[in-house]
Amino acid sequence: MLEFFNINKRIGILPNASEHGPLVDHMLEVCHWFMLALFVGWTTYFFIAIWKFHKSRNPKADYHGVRSHASTHIEFSVVLIEAVLLLGFALPLWGKRVNDIPQTGDKLEVRCIAYQFGWYFHYTGTDGLFGRQNMRFLSNANPLGIDPNDENGKDDFVTTNDLHLVNHKPTVVRVSSRDVIHGLALHQMRIQQDAMPGMEIPQWFRPIKTGTWEIICAQLCGQGHYQMRATYTVEEQKDFDAFQKEALDLKAANSPNVASAAPAVPVIAENK
Amino acid sequence: MEIPYTVAPRPDTGLANPKLGIWLFLASEVMLFGGLFSAYIFLRIGADPGYWPKGLLNVPVGALNTVILIASSVTVVLAWASLKMRKLSAYKLWMGISILCGAIFLIVKLAVEWPQKFEHFGAFIKKDMLAKYEPYLGNDYIKEKNAKGGTPIDPRVEISGHLHEVVVDASATDRPKFDAFLKLHHLEAKPDEHDSKLLAIKGEHFSPAVAEMIDRLPGIKLESFHIGLDPINADPTSPESDKPHFWFKNPTDKHGKIDRADVSFFSAFAPKHSSYFAIYFTITGLHGLHVLAGVIVMFYFWLPIEGGTKMFRRNPEQLANRVEVVGLFWHFVDLVWIFVFPIFYLL
Amino acid sequence: MAHAHDSHDHGHDDHHELGFWRKWVFSTDHKIIGLQYGVTGLIFLMFGFMLMMLMRWTIAHGASTPIPFGGGMLNMVMGDDMVSKSGIISSNAYNVFGAMHGTIMVFFGIVPVAFAAFGNYVMPLQIGAVDMTFPRLNMASFWSFFISCVIMVASFFVPGGAAKSGWTSYSPLAGLADSDLAYGAQPGMFHLLMNGQTLWIIGMVFNITASLLGSVNFIATIVQLRAPGMTWMRMPFFCWAIFITAYLLLLAFPPLEAAAIMQLMDRVAGTSFFMPTGLILNGQPAPFSGGGSPLLWQHLFWFLAHPEVYVLILPALGMITEIIACNTRKPIWGYKMMVGGIFCLAFLSFIVWAHHMYMTGMGAKVAGFFQTTTIIISIPSVILLTALLLSLWGGSIRFNVPMLFATAFLPMFGIGGLTGIPLAFNAVDLYLHDTYYIIAHFHYIIAPGTIFAIFAGVYHWYPKATGRMMNETLGRLHFWGSLILMNCVFMPMFLQGMTGVHRRWYDGGEVYKQTVESVLHWNSFISTSAWLLGIAQIPFIINFCMSMFVGKKVTSDNPWDATTLDWQTPTPPPHGNFIKELHVYRGPYEYSVPGADKDYTPQTEEHISQPAPVATPVLTPAPAH
Ligand code: HEA
Ligand code: HEA
Ligand code: CUA
Ligand SMILES: [Cu+2]
């Protein structure tokens, strides 16, 4: 029954699957009720006014017009409600988004690197640490240029357009881009983050439902923008482990032994 | 139909039209240069350590230009005052000097400062290759010095100087086409003394811009640069090099070789060289256009024509107003320079 | 009677007949320049409309259905890569249409019409000025604008077509587009200067210059050329709106000009103002120095573009106010408050810009600041709208065509404005950013808002400019068609946006079917409504063009019985505008003054003209009208 009066649902909000999502939805819902109240109130007034004061019904205008102070009260309450929305909901919510990024503890961390037109997802593998990157290692097999000599990078793996997350595990996505600006939109997680080249911006959330959904690119990024589709899957830990194992096996099978690739840094002889 | 208040001020606002107009225009100019200066701040704050070059501009020349511009602001006021006192010949003298100052400023900028930059070569070394060029960069020395305290010195990431020649591997190219290219740019190619498979290219008009072109030629692999090092790279561990020097110093005869593979980016000291030169050329270029516009308008008011000194006989007050307006503009241009000089030359 | 035509020849001995070119083309008369701006702007509105119809085609029909007609022509203009011979629009072409629809509508349609055209034509009349303060500057402004128009149109004809990086022109995309470094580009495909994205910048520089020249002129005119007795608080609200708008343009545009110069340097001189270090383009490390910042562009762009949205709305509010006062036959409620309101709006509009950048990784403090200012800025808007709504109360409302558009403006602006409120909150914007919710938000303000105000203004001032009325029936047809269809176009966009339909989708969402399937069917409904909306404009175009020749002639210089000075001139106003000495004695909206014998008391009337048998002694005989 209450569902019926949920404006967000009425107008088709996507299902939520993240822990903080209800806060976002709730706030949007309050906004919508507030807007609806103002709209209905003013529109009613508006129609009464244009009907009542039509020339045919009111041939002589009143120089003074409205004398009551109702409007002041309405304006004041608008201010009040907006202040409550802002101070009570919006600011704390955003504070939590950017300040409470999980630093330690049990969390999943993924680097999301956008390119024209797709996403690389760089996982830490089993050790929870990302390997160093260097452009000189860039190749088709190693699109992110992960340094093969770096211990932390040994168990890293990269997927394309396929993001896997663990249900109930706090997740930090570190979003960046290799070329132009893209946007990472995970609507069921109630998360969006622009992928800015030259920056790596963290966003975090905690999935609470399993499922597979679409990742939408939320910034115009060129001719393939409209089809820069990727998917993300929230699954239980054991499924994720299986996925990780498979990815690591694949990596081991594909990559030649590169341990000897270490480029020693030569030193130029001092010229005369 | 006559538009009121073109000369005399409107009593209740106390302003004549042109004066209000120029103030409004200057307000928008403040925002224009404000936008550029905030870009400067934004870029400078965002620059990685070492990537905001210092001491590459010619401070004495810049200081000279500053003096010239300030002087011209004074003479413009004197020109206006002469008109107010109805002294035409004094006006002509002072205005003439102002115009001359503006012109000298531009000449110094365009004939001395800028060309010097376009000839200068700089190559940024890849971050993981800096150690290889330690003899040119002296980063260990800097580290040591910084550890001792005092004003910290930024790490050095660029080797600069005068580009003498480049060595290329031309084995994969279409030779006649390449020769035509060399001819077109008056370059000569000789086998390299160390490796006869490679070609050393140089020429009378060899410039960083030509090196960029060579770098982009299909089939050509640029191997290395040979440059006459700037003092700072010639002797990086000398305390002399710790801070930017005041007088401009030419590149030394000391020779340096940089491998292309270790270079992340190279160019002349042109706008594309770095954020620093990009914003330097953009702001000084735009400022130069303003100086040019001011000079043209002042010249117009100085010529014996209807809009210029001929107006003196008909309506001296109107001419004085015009000079006041251009004077305000001129002061603004001056003011911009007073910001430009320290932030680019000194800081 | 139209005494205009017989009387305006005396007293004008300094008035030489100008040749055709000086009179109509290179004119310095503010009215001619206003008309030039108006006609050019309307044509560009239509142009923007047509670009939108092309976009709506691929949105509704997916990526591979050729357009039913005009495909061959588009193919000729834009080349095979963009539009195929059979008329299939490529995604690049879609991006061109989108970017140019936004650019043209905002900078070449609405601002020229609402601000430059009405400001030029009406404002000097309303304050009782003979012309603008700097007539030649005014002409320079129009011609600079005209050059920018030519450049923008020409940019469609160069290889690769016009700008394709959104009206926001975000770097690095806009820095790379149409260059060798663009995605999938072959070296040598694009000319260094003659390519869409570069021409866009150059066009914008001319456009900005035109706006700056214009706004200096508007401010100077209002400050200097008000007629005797026209004190600040006796100025019609429209003049206030123009005054404030001019300030917004004057101070907000230059940073964009600076940014445009920097983007031009990036594209032409190879600098990296907006290019960060370490880009990888087409699999290769980018061949430039790096060290720049894409955020810098966004800051400079939105520092302009937020004030710009108030530039789009303030002149509209001004026109609406004039028309509502005139047609309710009563003073505006809270005139002083409204003036105060737009002052606050203008001031605040300079400190809210980053609400367009919530998703770029903003810290809690910065986000808190911009959320707060954005919420505060909605308050003056509420005050303005409240004042206008309350002004209806007690009126004797005449629903002529201008008034229909003006009244419809109010709830439409209300919808657009109210849906701005959730966007103002960073956390909610997490969900709504970049969706059609935003498209609907601002189109509600601009299309059934500002465009309606423009229509209202055209119907209202047309008789002054031409001496003939526009046709009422065609006008009503135009009104109802537009009102209904605009809502059919934009209302479903809220639903789509809520369900995650994002902006700038070439195929309207086919690719993301899994997410948005439930609202995809709206695409063709919206598109059909949009094309019908085009048809609904035909009565207007006919009316506009034909009424000049066949419209009912006005029988008085003041056909609407209005109070402001613009109606105290001959019709159409001659060079120099006024033929009698002007003095202003009262506020702008003295309608239905108690005790007066007619329901309007023009600003020039020294004494309220009273019906003969009254108790109070009549001081001086009121000057005959
Ligand atoms: C004329 C143009 C215009 C105007 C006036 C506004 C007004 C407002 N806008 Fe809008 N906005 C745009 C044009 C405009 N906007 C455009 C073009 C974009 C997208 C740009 C792009 O990305 O391409 C945008 C985007 C945009 C965003 C960014 C969204 C995003 O990209 O994520 C935000 C966020 O805060 C925002 C907020 C607001 C707010 C709070 C107002 C407030 O000023 C609104 C205040 C008004 C009210 C609160 C109405 C009050 C009315 C009543 C109380 C009475 C109701 C009466 C009846 C119903 C009869 N706008
Ligand atoms: C002033 C601004 C303005 C105006 C008026 C409009 C008007 C309209 N716009 Fe647009 N729009 C933008 C500014 C504007 N738009 C911007 C900034 C964007 C974002 C671009 C981007 O993504 O970068 C956008 C994007 C945009 C999109 C999203 C595209 C996408 O994201 O992929 C859509 C989709 O439907 C759309 C539709 C429409 C429609 C149906 C109208 C209709 O309302 C049109 C109504 C117009 C008229 C009714 C004009 C009629 C006038 C005449 C016919 C003149 C008569 C002539 C004479 C008498 C000579 N617009
Ligand atoms: Cu990537 Cu849009
Ligand atoms: Cu805004």
Side-chain angles (χ1 to χ4, degrees):
Chain A
M1 189 59 215
L2 258 159
E3 283 289 273
F4 186 82
F5 292 107
N6 186 318
I7 302 184
N8 288 342
K9 292 240 166 74
R10 292 273 94 201
I11 60 180
I13 195 170
L14 291 171
N16 164 59
S18 90
E19 189 183 43
H20 76 278
L23 298 175
V24 173
D25 292 1
H26 181 235
M27 193 169 162
L28 184 55
E29 182 72 15
V30 176
C31 282
H32 276 141
W33 275 107
F34 171 56
M35 286 149 63
L36 190 72
L38 275 177
F39 183 74
V40 169
W42 274 118
T43 315
T44 315
Y45 160 84
F46 174 76
F47 282 117
I48 294 174
I50 58 179
W51 187 82
K52 187 163 168 195
F53 297 104
H54 192 279
K55 193 169 65 181
S56 60
R57 275 170 288 271
N58 193 34
K60 179 96 187 65
D62 169 16
Y63 181 77
H64 297 288
V66 176
R67 278 172 231 230
S68 90
H69 292 286
S71 69
T72 320
H73 299 305
I74 296 173
E75 280 159 12
F76 187 73
S77 34
V78 168
V79 175
L80 205 69
I81 295 173
E82 287 186 346
V84 169
L85 277 170
L86 182 71
L87 301 173
F89 294 83
L91 296 186
L93 197 49
W94 191 254
K96 205 163 156 44
R97 290 286 86 231
V98 293
N99 292 339
D100 295 0
I101 294 176
Q103 301 296 342
T104 50
D106 191 24
K107 63 170 197 281
L108 178 69
E109 215 164 339
V110 189
R111 298 177 64 227
C112 309
I113 299 112
Y115 63 93
Q116 284 170 321
F117 297 96
W119 292 94
Y120 293 124
F121 298 109
H122 177 184
Y123 296 81
T124 58
T126 44
D127 64 352
L129 294 169
F130 291 114
R132 246 196 336 260
Q133 280 176 289
N134 189 323
M135 278 218 220
R136 73 175 67 234
F137 300 114
L138 226 54
S139 70
N140 279 342
N142 186 0
L144 299 181
I146 298 167
D147 188 338
N149 305 302
D150 182 11
E151 277 308 315
N152 295 335
K154 287 259 157 64
D155 61 344
D156 287 12
F157 64 97
V158 176
T159 62
T160 309
N161 291 336
D162 184 21
L163 173 65
H164 283 249
L165 306 172
V166 181
N167 199 9
H168 295 301
K169 193 178 241 186
T171 305
V172 182
V173 284
R174 303 193 163 273
V175 186
S176 69
S177 164
R178 308 212 310 184
D179 36 47
V180 303
I181 302 174
H182 302 259
L184 181 83
L186 310 178
H187 279 313
Q188 292 74 10
M189 296 298 137
R190 299 296 186 261
I191 281 295
Q192 261 192 78
Q193 174 60 55
D194 282 359
M196 308 290 292
M199 299 163 84
E200 191 181 85
I201 306 164
Q203 241 328 333
W204 72 280
F205 53 90
R206 192 164 160 253
I208 50 169
K209 248 189 225 138
T210 58
T212 297
W213 299 284
E214 285 171 324
I215 298 175
I216 296 172
C217 176
Q219 278 293 345
L220 180 63
C221 52
Q223 62 189 65
H225 163 66
Y226 74 104
Q227 56 184 9
M228 188 170 149
R229 176 182 179 273
T231 54
Y232 68 112
T233 304
V234 175
E235 57 204 1
E236 298 304 339
Q237 182 74 47
K238 67 172 191 324
D239 298 322
F240 182 83
D241 291 342
F243 154 76
Q244 172 158 311
K245 182 156 182 312
E246 193 182 328
L248 284 172
D249 289 349
L250 194 74
K251 181 182 171 194
N254 282 351
S255 57
N257 192 354
V258 281
S260 58
V265 173
V267 177
I268 49 161
E270 176 128 23
N271 288 60
K272 61 235 130 181
Chain B
M1 182 200 81
E2 191 69 32
I3 304 219
Y5 316 120
T6 46
V7 182
R10 176 177 161 130
D12 60 344
T13 62
L15 289 162
N17 298 345
K19 202 144 159 200
L20 176 61
I22 194 73
W23 277 114
L24 291 169
F25 177 70
L26 290 184
S28 88
E29 291 279 87
V30 167
M31 297 303 289
L32 177 66
F33 281 98
L36 288 165
F37 283 125
S38 35
Y40 168 92
I41 295 170
F42 205 96
L43 291 171
R44 182 164 183 167
I45 289 176
D48 285 344
Y51 284 86
W52 194 266
K54 285 186 189 130
L56 298 186
L57 297 180
N58 200 332
V59 181
V61 174
L64 174 75
N65 254 352
T66 312
V67 172
I68 290 174
L69 214 53
I70 293 178
S72 74
S73 259
V74 176
T75 54
V76 159
V77 176
L78 291 173
W80 172 75
S82 317
L83 276 183
K84 279 291 194 190
M85 292 184 287
R86 304 290 183 263
K87 289 191 202 145
L88 186 61
S89 52
Y91 162 72
K92 280 193 180 160
L93 175 70
W94 291 124
M95 200 59 165
I97 295 179
S98 314
I99 296 165
L100 208 65
C101 285
I104 294 175
F105 177 92
L106 284 177
I107 291 168
V108 169
K109 193 105 251 151
L110 293 176
V112 182
E113 282 199 281
W114 282 19
Q116 216 173 41
K117 295 286 156 283
F118 293 141
E119 288 304 312
H120 215 117
F121 173 84
F124 289 95
I125 306 300
K126 287 183 178 161
K127 276 186 180 151
D128 55 347
M129 280 300 163
L130 289 170
K132 177 171 164 190
Y133 294 93
E134 179 59 22
Y136 302 156
L137 297 171
N139 279 322
D140 291 342
Y141 160 79
I142 290 176
K143 228 178 267 163
E144 221 170 276
K145 184 128 187 177
N146 283 347
K148 285 199 205 111
T151 3
I153 309 170
D154 280 342
R156 300 200 186 109
V157 294
E158 184 188 19
I159 301 173
S160 60
H162 182 71
L163 184 60
H164 291 314
E165 62 172 55
V166 294
V167 174
V168 302
D169 176 354
S171 51
T173 190
D174 175 4
R175 208 38 216 266
K177 238 186 182 167
F178 185 51
D179 286 339
F181 172 88
L182 294 177
K183 196 146 167 247
L184 183 70
H185 293 276
H186 308 286
L187 303 171
E188 47 188 299
K190 283 207 217 90
D192 186 44
E193 44 190 273
H194 302 293
D195 183 346
S196 56
K197 284 204 294 292
L198 302 179
L199 289 176
I201 297 175
K202 59 173 139 191
E204 213 175 309
H205 302 289
F206 195 65
S207 71
V210 175
E212 281 171 46
M213 272 188 257
I214 295 175
D215 194 40
R216 280 199 301 266
L217 284 179
I220 296 282
K221 188 155 172 283
L222 212 167
E223 293 286 340
S224 58
F225 304 99
H226 293 257
I227 66 175
L229 293 167
D230 268 340
I232 189 166
N233 297 123
D235 194 4
T237 51
S238 146
E240 277 275 288
S241 309
D242 286 357
K243 51 180 183 301
H245 34 249
F246 186 76
W247 295 100
F248 178 74
K249 287 204 178 144
N250 278 314
T252 62
D253 330 330
K254 199 173 159 199
H255 179 91
K257 170 169 173 284
I258 311 166
D259 287 330
R260 173 70 181 95
D262 304 332
V263 169
S264 62
F265 184 74
F266 72 92
S267 86
F269 283 6
K272 69 172 124 182
H273 168 271
S274 57
S275 301
Y276 171 78
F277 275 118
I279 190 81
Y280 163 75
F281 280 107
T282 307
I283 291 187
T284 55
L286 202 64
H287 177 263
L289 281 178
H290 279 75
V291 174
L292 182 67
V295 167
I296 291 173
V297 174
M298 292 195 296
F299 189 60
Y300 181 78
F301 293 163
W302 182 79
L303 285 178
I305 52 170
E306 219 13 78
T309 46
K310 265 196 188 162
M311 187 185 271
F312 185 73
R313 247 151 284 143
R314 192 163 42 80
N315 192 344
E317 194 55 27
Q318 192 176 357
L319 186 61
N321 278 353
R322 289 189 160 194
V323 171
E324 188 182 4
V325 164
V326 74
L328 281 171
F329 174 75
W330 197 248
H331 292 331
F332 172 79
V333 172
D334 198 7
L335 186 72
V336 170
W337 183 259
I338 287 177
F339 280 97
V340 169
F341 179 65
I343 67 169
F344 286 107
Y345 288 76
L346 304 180
L347 289 178
Chain C
M1 265 311 292
H3 55 242
H5 298 280
D6 6 74
S7 56
H8 95 265
D9 286 334
H10 355 288
H12 270 263
D13 20 34
D14 60 336
H15 176 62
H16 317 287
E17 260 323 302
L18 299 165
F20 171 82
W21 287 95
R22 287 293 308 281
K23 182 150 187 242
W24 292 106
V25 184
F26 296 103
S27 169
T28 55
D29 186 324
H30 72 99
K31 298 181 294 297
I32 304 298
I33 294 174
L35 294 176
Q36 289 173 326
Y37 258 121
V39 171
T40 323
L42 281 174
I43 291 171
F44 271 86
L45 272 185
M46 194 146 66
F47 186 18
F49 192 100
M50 291 199 279
L51 294 173
M52 177 274 292
M53 293 204 275
L54 290 168
M55 280 151 64
R56 289 297 334 170
W57 179 266
T58 69
I59 293 176
H61 295 274
S64 53
T65 322
I67 48 173
F69 50 86
M73 203 183 75
L74 277 180
N75 169 266
M76 250 155 54
V77 171
M78 301 180 69
D80 289 337
D81 306 341
M82 303 299 280
V83 179
S84 79
K85 286 218 169 50
S86 59
I88 296 174
I89 295 172
S90 69
S91 66
N92 252 333
Y94 178 87
N95 288 346
V96 168
F97 299 149
M100 295 309 279
H101 164 77
T103 307
I104 282 176
M105 283 298 200
V106 172
F107 298 108
F108 295 79
I110 301 287
V111 176
V113 178
F115 174 71
F118 282 97
N120 252 312
Y121 198 99
V122 176
M123 182 274 287
L125 297 179
Q126 282 194 333
I127 62 170
V130 288
D131 201 324
M132 296 285 261
T133 307
F134 308 110
R136 268 180 297 176
L137 210 60
N138 207 12
M139 181 173 88
S141 163
F142 175 75
W143 287 103
S144 177
F145 168 68
F146 190 81
I147 292 172
S148 74
C149 292
V150 172
I151 293 174
M152 284 294 171
V153 173
S155 74
F156 280 87
F157 292 84
V158 298
K164 46 184 76 59
S165 312
W167 81 291
T168 48
S169 202
Y170 275 8
S171 265
L173 183 63
L176 302 170
D178 293 352
S179 81
D180 289 357
L181 298 172
Y183 176 81
Q186 257 63 95
M189 224 163 111
F190 298 102
H191 189 274
L192 190 61
L193 286 177
M194 299 309 256
N195 63 70
Q197 203 69 43
T198 304
L199 288 176
W200 185 91
I201 302 174
I202 299 175
M204 283 307 293
V205 168
F206 278 97
N207 185 291
I208 293 169
T209 308
S211 287
L212 292 178
L213 295 178
S215 42
V216 167
N217 218 340
F218 280 120
I219 298 172
T221 305
I222 292 176
V223 173
Q224 293 292 86
L225 300 191
R226 280 166 293 123
M230 178 61 86
T231 58
W232 287 99
M233 282 326 228
R234 283 182 187 162
M235 272 201 326
F237 186 70
F238 177 69
C239 298
W240 273 112
I242 292 290
F243 185 63
I244 299 286
T245 310
Y247 265 107
L248 289 180
L249 285 174
L250 187 75
L251 300 179
F253 248 143
L256 184 69
E257 187 149 30
I261 292 169
M262 287 189 258
Q263 200 170 61
L264 192 66
M265 293 287 284
D266 273 6
R267 296 186 55 82
V268 177
T271 59
S272 298
F273 281 111
F274 308 123
M275 304 292 179
T277 311
L279 294 196
I280 296 170
L281 305 171
N282 295 324
Q284 298 292 320
F288 40 71
S289 74
S293 164
L295 274 179
L296 176 60
W297 169 265
Q298 298 192 11
H299 280 298
L300 292 170
F301 181 85
W302 290 116
F303 186 81
L304 156 88
H306 188 86
E308 176 75 20
V309 307
Y310 292 100
V311 169
L312 300 177
I313 197 69
L314 286 181
L317 273 170
M319 287 189 259
I320 294 296
T321 309
E322 298 303 305
I323 291 164
I324 286 188
C326 177
N327 289 307
T328 53
R329 316 302 299 160
K330 66 177 279 297
I332 286 296
W333 190 90
Y335 164 82
K336 281 199 185 125
M337 210 161 63
M338 287 180 74
V339 174
I342 55 174
F343 264 95
C344 296
L345 204 63
F347 172 73
L348 289 167
S349 72
F350 283 103
I351 50 170
V352 300
W353 77 90
H355 65 212
H356 297 274
M357 300 163 59
Y358 282 155
M359 294 305 120
T360 54
M362 212 179 253
K365 287 211 186 77
V366 180
F369 175 79
F370 283 106
Q371 293 181 76
T372 311
T373 52
T374 305
I375 282 305
I376 294 175
I377 205 175
S378 69
I379 292 160
S381 308
V382 170
I383 291 176
L384 287 167
L385 214 68
T386 308
L388 287 174
L389 282 164
L390 292 189
S391 295
L392 300 174
W393 198 262
S396 168
I397 306 174
R398 285 190 312 220
F399 279 106
N400 47 26
V401 178
M403 186 61 179
L404 284 175
F405 278 108
T407 24
F409 170 93
L410 301 174
M412 295 298 111
F413 176 74
I415 297 176
L418 287 173
T419 49
I421 291 174
L423 302 179
F425 299 119
N426 212 326
V428 178
D429 201 43
L430 271 178
Y431 184 68
L432 295 174
H433 175 68
D434 197 59
T435 62
Y436 263 72
Y437 197 93
I438 285 158
I439 297 284
H441 150 66
F442 72 77
H443 279 93
Y444 255 105
I445 297 179
I446 301 176
T450 305
I451 289 194
F452 272 21
I454 287 173
F455 288 149
V458 169
Y459 286 103
H460 188 69
W461 276 289
Y462 195 89
K464 175 77 346 185
T466 64
R468 291 174 189 268
M469 308 288 278
M470 285 175 85
N471 182 296
E472 276 281 311
T473 318
L474 285 176
R476 277 167 201 275
L477 200 65
H478 175 215
F479 169 72
W480 288 109
S482 299
L483 179 67
I484 293 166
L485 289 164
M486 289 259 189
N487 281 286
C488 291
V489 170
F490 297 118
M491 197 48 92
M493 289 189 188
F494 285 121
L495 304 180
Q496 290 196 322
M498 279 301 283
T499 312
V501 176
H502 275 250
R503 306 168 57 176
R504 296 157 170 177
W505 274 355
Y506 163 53
D507 63 351
E510 279 299 315
V511 168
Y512 292 102
K513 214 165 180 161
Q514 184 193 336
T515 307
V516 299
E517 179 149 37
S518 62
V519 288
L520 275 188
H521 63 275
W522 284 112
N523 277 340
S524 58
F525 176 81
I526 295 174
S527 295
T528 313
S529 305
W531 299 318
L532 291 177
L533 179 61
I535 294 173
Q537 304 310 309
I538 292 174
F540 173 67
I541 296 173
I542 295 176
N543 205 347
F544 186 88
C545 299
M546 298 300 290
S547 296
M548 239 174 280
F549 309 107
V550 301
K552 197 168 78 195
K553 278 210 169 124
V554 291
T555 50
S556 117
D557 285 334
N558 189 359
W560 308 116
D561 292 340
T563 51
T564 45
L565 295 185
D566 40 339
W567 303 100
Q568 300 297 315
T569 63
T571 308
H575 195 55
N577 297 342
F578 296 92
I579 51 173
K580 49 186 185 205
E581 272 302 307
L582 272 186
H583 200 283
V584 174
Y585 295 99
R586 58 191 66 250
Y589 306 120
E590 293 296 280
Y591 290 98
S592 304
V593 179
D597 64 348
K598 51 187 193 303
D599 69 350
Y600 67 105
T601 313
Q603 288 187 277
T604 46
E605 230 150 83
E606 190 172 1
H607 302 286
I608 294 164
S609 60
Q610 282 156 335
V614 281
T616 40
V618 179
L619 297 174
T620 359
H625 163 52

